[in-house]
Amino acid sequence: MQTSTFQQGGINVDAVKQLLLNNREDHVMAYLQEKLQGVCCPVHGSIPEIKLIPEPGGYSVDLLNDCCPAFTALCAAKVK
């Protein structure tokens, strides 16, 4: 008699897609945080706080605390 560890009913494809998406977002966020490490606004002392926004084909990055144009430009230069 054979036994199987495969569940009856198959795999929940939506759950697997969500796990892969979350894992990918974690990797992208960690990469961006590493690139922004040590960045500080020379005028206001702010450090970057970012949020990923999913888009078709990838992500865009939103700087949540863009205190001045110089800080925004500094963060954008570091992320590129």
Side-chain angles (χ1 to χ4, degrees):
M1 179 169 146
Q2 288 184 328
T3 58
S4 174
T5 58
F6 189 73
Q7 279 185 322
Q8 291 294 88
I11 298 172
N12 184 338
V13 175
D14 291 330
V16 171
K17 284 182 182 178
Q18 190 63 38
L19 287 171
L20 290 172
L21 179 65
N22 288 342
N23 191 30
R24 189 167 123 198
E25 285 180 4
D26 290 344
H27 286 288
V28 171
M29 191 64 141
Y31 171 77
L32 292 172
Q33 287 173 338
E34 182 179 318
K35 296 210 40 129
L36 291 170
Q37 189 172 7
V39 173
C40 180
C41 178
V43 178
H44 301 101
S46 302
I47 58 171
E49 295 177 29
I50 59 173
K51 176 182 173 185
L52 289 180
I53 301 171
E55 293 185 345
Y59 299 95
S60 65
V61 180
D62 185 18
L63 181 62
L64 300 175
N65 59 338
D66 48 349
C67 58
C68 64
F71 181 60
T72 303
L74 178 64
C75 291
K78 289 288 187 175
V79 168
K80 286 187 178 180

